[in-house]
Amino acid sequence: MTTTAQLPTGTPEPATDRTVVGGNLSLPLFRTLSGVLAGHPYLKVVVDRAENTWHLLDTAAHPFHVNYIATRVLGMELAELDASLDEFNASVYMDPERRFLLGVLSLHTGHDAEGRERTFLVLETTEADTMHGALLEAFHGFVRERVDGRLPLLLKPANHGQEEELATISELRVPRISGHELFGTRTRTPLNPGDATGRLRYFRTSQEYAAAEAGLGWADIVAMPCLPDDVPRVAGFLNTAPITPLSHTNVLASGWGIPNAIVRDLEQLVEKDGLDGAWVRYRVREDEVTLERLDQEPGLEAPAWHQQRIRLEPPLLEDAPVLSLHRLRSADRDRYGTKAANLGELHHVLDSRTADLTAFYGRPRPPRDDLYGHLAVRLGLHAPSVDELRSAAGAFVAGMVEAPDGVALPFALQHLFLTSSPALQQGIGKLKMALELDASDMLDSLCLQLQHLIRHTPMPDSVTRQIQQAFPTPSAAGGRLVVRSSSNAEDLPGFSAAGVYDSVTTVRGPGELLDAVRQVWASMLSPRSVRLRHQVGISLDDTYMGVIIQEYVPAALGGVLVTCNPTRREDFRNVYLNCSPGSPEKVVEGSVLPQQYLYNTVEGGGRTVALGSWGEGLSAATRARLADLSLTGRLLQSHFSAPDVDKPLDIEWLMTDQDELRLVQIRPYAL
């Protein structure tokens, strides 16, 4: 469960208000006053230290702590509160001498070491709350004295700062539980919100899935332990094993606008209700996941994406040189591909420091006119002018991260290669004809034949010479190179193509370099990539592949950052970060379960969501670095998402052994 720092004020209150002031809290009273969030009953509490009493808020009547305190305790009008909302929030969430302690009590059921079921209460604050250790201990003690003594009361630290404060306090005095301990094994976890009505197809193994894959269609809801990255476009996804909101399949779910969730008890539901092959209504919300079997097949119309059409800018195929990434700008996407152009633009932003990186914070967030004051605090400034704030933001980002070195191969080289071979031209012509005739039964074999031809067709001498001159003698990391795709049909708003095209990360020597470039070119014609582009109207004639070549940089830590909270789309505060020791490819490929963190880029602070495949989290110093990285991502969003600066970014990053942060990819994150 996550409480919210402050939501919009002014919500009308129902006539019935059962809020209780003072006294003890019994389970019957708890259930009378509580609401339900993420499947657990919860109750908002306010401790008034000046009056030595507490307020148990009727959840239906009082959705926001601060509204209640301002209007019911302090006698303010809502308009007065709105006019000074940030100052009021600071007084109740951040003042070390604050009068009020705000929190949430939630009721949970678990099992003890002997497997016996137990019911317990959890007390937590909002993630923006900066309570020090003494306040946390006092808060827990006050509530402990007033709730049913038969129920254990555990304190859940809401952020890393609270974790560090509690580290000096005995667990005998303040029993506690972390968020990842509380929710890491929950039965149902929302990943991407949405609704779907379709036929549930449940596969217990990848072999079962492979046998049925060819028959999957747009009306199917695919369920299995972990869906493959090349799953076709369907109505919905269900996972029975843990994955993260930043997995390739969830990025696809987000881009396609379909529901996705972890449902660990699916096998029991399938056996109990006969769901495999049945028509169901599947709903994923921020706080719940439901599956409802339908009595009969519904009359479904083809989904809107059947009519979706994405138009590409015409690729420029005239001679263009192989260029260093730092010489590219975003406008070069029609010659070198979106990925290379974005990295070139990143070089420009870091080197010139002229871009406005504050625009996200300049947007009104009612009742606030803007968030400039919060950004100033994050940057360590006091009452700066707008120009001073922009200058400080540019300097902060330039001092925090580096852009990768490397070179970009233009579309012109791939075009020259393809037109040099009559066999390739003939194969491409057959594929175009199959697409025009919608001959899906021929598509896979034609694509596979073309891919084989591309991988084995000799390069024209002029193409070979330009590629080899790009990296004549790689020096770092034993001469190891990384070769990445940079198509004009990826990293686009509405079409991310995450995981669709190939990258080769273990290239050594000129021979392997040429093979890797051909492999990346060939990935443009894989059966899956051709089908996905055809579904959204992207013509094969308009699709070209640029290539990025870089020296391999060893990573101590790496991962993915998205400048949003994927499971709460209205949340403008938090960004989501995944990481694991070593290369970010481990996170991107899904070969490990990464550690997961949320960082608040408005009020500050972060919290651990899950530890993944590791038994313990990162050090406080490393988490602080990742907080700065998260703020950097949010600032870059102002530039790379313009003019709509609320659109989030998907950023791949790594931390070197020297603690240097390097961004290796920037693209839109589809919501």
Side-chain angles (χ1 to χ4, degrees):
M1 177 187 300
T2 301
T3 53
T4 303
Q6 171 63 30
L7 295 173
T9 58
T11 302
E13 297 175 354
T16 302
D17 181 357
R18 295 164 293 188
T19 293
V20 174
V21 181
N24 293 335
L25 176 64
S26 64
L27 269 182
L29 178 59
F30 179 96
R31 296 187 186 279
T32 298
L33 299 174
S34 66
V36 177
L37 183 63
H40 301 283
Y42 79 102
L43 172 66
K44 289 183 170 65
V45 300
V46 174
V47 171
D48 186 340
R49 300 171 72 203
E51 300 293 335
N52 194 35
T53 190
W54 69 337
H55 302 247
L56 308 175
L57 275 56
D58 182 349
T59 303
H62 301 292
F64 311 124
H65 286 94
V66 295
N67 284 21
Y68 176 84
I69 295 171
T71 61
R72 295 302 183 89
V73 180
L74 301 179
M76 298 171 60
E77 296 292 333
L78 280 177
E80 184 183 356
L81 171 63
D82 286 352
S84 60
L85 182 59
D86 289 329
E87 293 82 358
F88 193 91
N89 279 343
S91 73
V92 295
Y93 291 125
M94 299 169 191
D95 185 348
E97 303 300 326
R98 69 192 73 172
R99 171 181 171 179
F100 300 103
L101 306 179
L102 283 57
V104 168
L105 269 174
S106 55
L107 188 66
H108 299 261
T109 300
H111 295 85
D112 61 20
E114 285 73 38
R116 295 182 297 243
E117 188 172 273
R118 64 165 187 159
T119 300
F120 59 97
L121 289 166
V122 173
L123 176 66
E124 63 179 306
T125 73
T126 178
E127 76 259 13
D129 200 302
T130 61
M131 280 192 198
H132 53 70
L135 273 183
L136 289 166
E137 185 173 3
F139 193 24
H140 178 270
F142 189 101
V143 176
R144 172 71 280 174
E145 292 177 2
R146 291 163 176 80
V147 299
D148 191 329
R150 295 168 296 178
L151 292 176
L153 175 66
L154 306 179
L155 182 67
K156 182 169 87 68
N159 51 52
H160 294 145
Q162 290 186 7
E163 288 178 10
E164 292 161 17
E165 289 289 325
L166 286 170
T168 62
I169 300 174
S170 167
E171 290 199 39
L172 295 176
R173 286 159 50 196
V174 183
R176 69 207 63 165
I177 188 169
S178 67
H180 56 83
E181 289 173 318
L182 187 61
F183 297 118
T185 58
R186 68 181 183 180
T187 303
R188 301 180 186 180
T189 304
L191 293 172
N192 193 63
D195 295 345
T197 298
R199 183 178 54 169
L200 186 70
R201 305 293 302 277
Y202 177 47
F203 306 108
R204 290 170 177 80
T205 66
S206 56
Q207 290 79 13
E208 288 183 9
Y209 168 83
E213 179 183 6
L216 294 175
W218 58 264
D220 289 322
I221 298 170
V222 180
M224 59 189 298
C226 187
L227 283 83
D229 286 346
D230 61 354
V231 62
R233 191 163 188 171
V234 291
F237 295 158
L238 274 157
N239 304 266
T240 60
I243 65 167
T244 85
L246 302 190
S247 66
H248 268 156
T249 50
N250 199 53
V251 172
L252 291 175
S254 179
W256 292 342
I258 63 175
N260 188 21
I262 302 169
V263 181
R264 297 194 185 204
D265 61 343
L266 183 63
E267 186 162 5
Q268 297 95 298
L269 295 176
V270 166
E271 293 177 357
K272 173 175 169 286
D273 299 326
L275 294 180
D276 189 18
W279 291 92
V280 300
R281 182 172 292 112
Y282 172 37
R283 291 176 175 169
V284 177
R285 297 290 184 269
E286 176 191 330
D287 57 354
E288 68 175 352
V289 179
T290 60
L291 269 174
E292 174 190 355
R293 177 167 180 159
L294 304 179
D295 295 332
Q296 59 186 9
E297 179 179 342
L300 297 178
E301 297 182 356
W305 59 261
H306 269 238
Q307 286 74 47
Q308 181 185 13
R309 290 296 177 264
I310 292 177
R311 295 287 177 253
L312 300 182
E313 299 173 6
L316 300 181
L317 303 177
E318 70 271 14
D319 284 344
V322 175
L323 285 181
S324 296
L325 289 175
H326 73 267
R327 296 180 61 188
L328 300 181
R329 294 292 303 274
S330 60
D332 291 313
R333 65 174 65 90
D334 53 5
R335 288 183 174 85
Y336 296 87
T338 310
K339 191 180 299 181
N342 282 350
L343 290 178
E345 188 70 17
L346 176 62
H347 273 280
H348 170 75
V349 169
L350 299 182
D351 294 341
S352 71
R353 303 190 188 185
T354 58
D356 178 11
L357 304 183
T358 68
F360 175 88
Y361 290 86
R363 282 282 177 92
R365 311 288 173 181
R368 306 165 182 84
D369 293 333
D370 56 61
L371 299 175
Y372 284 147
H374 288 284
L375 178 57
V377 173
R378 302 278 71 77
L379 297 177
L381 303 175
H382 178 68
S385 67
V386 172
D387 287 343
E388 288 171 337
L389 191 63
R390 289 178 178 176
S391 176
F396 176 85
V397 170
M400 187 55 55
V401 298
E402 298 178 4
D405 294 325
V407 300
L409 309 185
F411 299 157
L413 287 188
Q414 186 203 22
H415 179 66
L416 183 58
F417 169 74
L418 294 175
T419 55
S420 71
S421 167
L424 281 172
Q425 289 297 295
Q426 185 179 32
I428 292 171
K430 290 180 179 179
L431 179 58
K432 290 178 183 177
M433 183 65 69
L435 291 170
E436 290 174 7
L437 298 176
D438 201 20
S440 57
D441 55 331
M442 300 172 55
L443 199 63
D444 285 12
S445 62
L446 288 173
C447 288
L448 293 173
Q449 290 170 19
L450 267 172
Q451 287 190 286
H452 179 82
L453 267 176
I454 290 173
R455 292 190 187 103
H456 295 88
T457 296
M459 293 266 197
D461 290 342
S462 60
V463 175
T464 300
R465 185 167 54 253
Q466 291 188 66
I467 294 174
Q468 291 182 337
Q469 286 175 348
F471 270 101
T473 54
S475 56
R480 180 174 168 182
L481 299 176
V482 176
V483 179
R484 303 179 185 274
S485 67
S486 182
S487 170
N488 63 337
E490 63 178 322
D491 299 349
L492 303 173
F495 189 76
S496 73
V500 171
Y501 304 120
D502 286 354
S503 292
V504 187
T505 62
T506 56
V507 179
R508 288 185 170 88
E512 289 188 10
L513 175 58
L514 295 179
D515 289 343
V517 171
R518 277 190 290 249
Q519 180 176 333
V520 172
W521 283 344
S523 67
M524 190 190 75
L525 292 169
S526 70
R528 182 180 182 230
S529 68
V530 170
R531 288 181 187 277
L532 288 176
R533 291 194 305 268
H534 185 62
Q535 286 172 352
V536 297
I538 297 177
S539 167
L540 192 61
D541 284 331
D542 291 337
T543 308
Y544 276 85
M545 180 67 75
V547 177
I548 300 170
I549 305 173
Q550 301 164 284
E551 290 187 350
Y552 172 77
V553 177
L557 191 70
V560 178
L561 164 72
V562 295
T563 59
C564 67
N565 182 346
T567 60
R568 291 189 58 217
R569 299 183 179 183
E570 75 281 5
D571 179 4
F572 61 83
R573 291 172 164 82
N574 288 291
V575 302
Y576 203 95
L577 185 145
N578 278 5
C579 63
S580 69
S583 166
E585 275 79 17
K586 293 180 181 179
V587 175
V588 175
E589 294 166 358
S591 59
V592 297
L593 264 179
Q595 296 188 17
Q596 303 170 50
Y597 298 92
L598 275 170
Y599 286 99
N600 185 326
T601 59
V602 178
E603 289 88 2
R607 54 193 169 90
T608 304
V609 177
L611 294 181
S613 303
W614 288 267
E616 59 183 38
L618 300 169
S619 69
T622 301
R623 291 199 308 249
R625 289 277 285 158
L626 296 185
D628 288 339
L629 173 64
S630 299
L631 179 57
T632 296
R634 178 69 86 198
L635 292 169
L636 289 172
Q637 181 179 334
S638 292
H639 180 73
F640 283 91
S641 295
D644 186 356
V645 296
D646 278 340
K647 289 184 176 178
L649 298 178
D650 177 338
I651 299 174
E652 194 175 317
W653 59 272
L654 61 85
M655 182 184 290
T656 69
D657 292 330
Q658 291 75 41
D659 285 341
E660 297 169 341
L661 287 167
R662 184 167 300 191
L663 308 187
V664 295
Q665 180 171 290
I666 296 181
R667 62 185 175 190
Y669 181 73
L671 280 181

